[in-house]
Amino acid sequence: MAKAEEAKKEAGAEAPKKKGNKMVLIIVVALVVLLLGGGGIAFALMSGGKEESHEDKVVVPVLKVAKLDSFMVNLGDPSAFIKATILLEYDQNVLDKILQGQGSGGGHGYGGGAAGGGAPDPTALPGLMQGREPMMRDAIIRVFASKKALEVLSPDGKDQLKEEITESVNEALGFDEPLVTGVYFTEFIIQQG
């Protein structure tokens, strides 16, 4: 019987050890799960909760203006003409993208500078657009010539004219992506005879 009692004591002593080992194992597993979960949460919080992709990046347009010489064009009305000076608004990001596609090495594509070595005119046409200026001017002249004086005198008429000029200039430029984003009149005179 002594042996039986001794065996019970040993079994009783080992049982708490086994139970203690299970508790340690459970605690270790819980800590690992918490650490991994916490690391995942921290990563999600630091990365904004989503993976970055090229589609998520928003490119903000860098809008600049280029001034064209004045236009004096006969309108569609007999003996009516328009004198207008136009600023073309364009997106520098699109221009840079076009320049990169042509292998020019980037840059802003401004041609010519001020006489005497001064700073270039910030409203000068970029070099890439200078080469297409005759085509752009022709497109604008065709839009003006298709209009009657009463069509372009109202604010809505001017807005429609701006949209048509923007579209025509982009077609004349012939790029895959529209470069010109808007048109502004700095001078607008209609003379009817």
Side-chain angles (χ1 to χ4, degrees), residues 8 34 37 41 49 63 68 84 89 97 116 122 152 170 178-179 187:
K8 281 185 182 178
L34 284 174
I41 290 171
L63 301 178
L68 295 174
E89 178 184 72
K97 186 173 161 186
V152 295
N170 279 318
L179 175 60
E187 178 181 39

Side-chain angles (χ1 to χ4, degrees), residues 8-96:
K8 281 185 182 178
K9 282 183 185 178
E10 282 181 28
E14 285 183 26
K17 283 185 183 177
K18 285 184 181 178
K19 192 173 184 183
N21 287 342
K22 284 183 183 179
M23 286 300 287
V24 169
L25 183 62
I26 290 172
I27 291 171
V28 169
V29 170
L31 284 174
V32 168
V33 170
L34 284 174
L35 287 174
L36 291 176
I41 290 171
F43 176 77
L45 290 174
M46 289 194 304
S47 67
K50 61 181 176 183
E51 291 182 26
E52 280 191 40
S53 72
H54 294 292
E55 295 171 4
D56 292 341
K57 293 180 182 177
V58 176
V59 178
V60 177
V62 177
L63 301 178
K64 295 188 175 186
V65 293
K67 184 178 180 180
L68 295 174
D69 289 334
S70 293
F71 291 83
M72 188 174 294
V73 180
N74 290 325
L75 293 172
D77 291 342
S79 68
F81 70 90
I82 185 169
K83 182 176 182 200
T85 304
I86 295 175
L87 289 175
L88 297 176
E89 178 184 72
Y90 64 94
D91 186 345
Q92 184 65 50
N93 290 335
V94 173
L95 182 61
D96 289 345

Side-chain angles (χ1 to χ4, degrees), residues 118-151:
D121 180 2
T123 62
L125 280 173
L128 188 63
M129 292 173 75
Q130 283 178 0
R132 302 292 298 171
E133 185 177 8
M135 294 76 164
M136 292 187 307
R137 289 185 66 82
D138 179 66
I140 293 168
I141 288 169
R142 283 187 283 120
V143 171
F144 281 141
S146 71
K147 299 297 178 186
K148 297 193 182 300
L150 287 176
E151 288 179 290

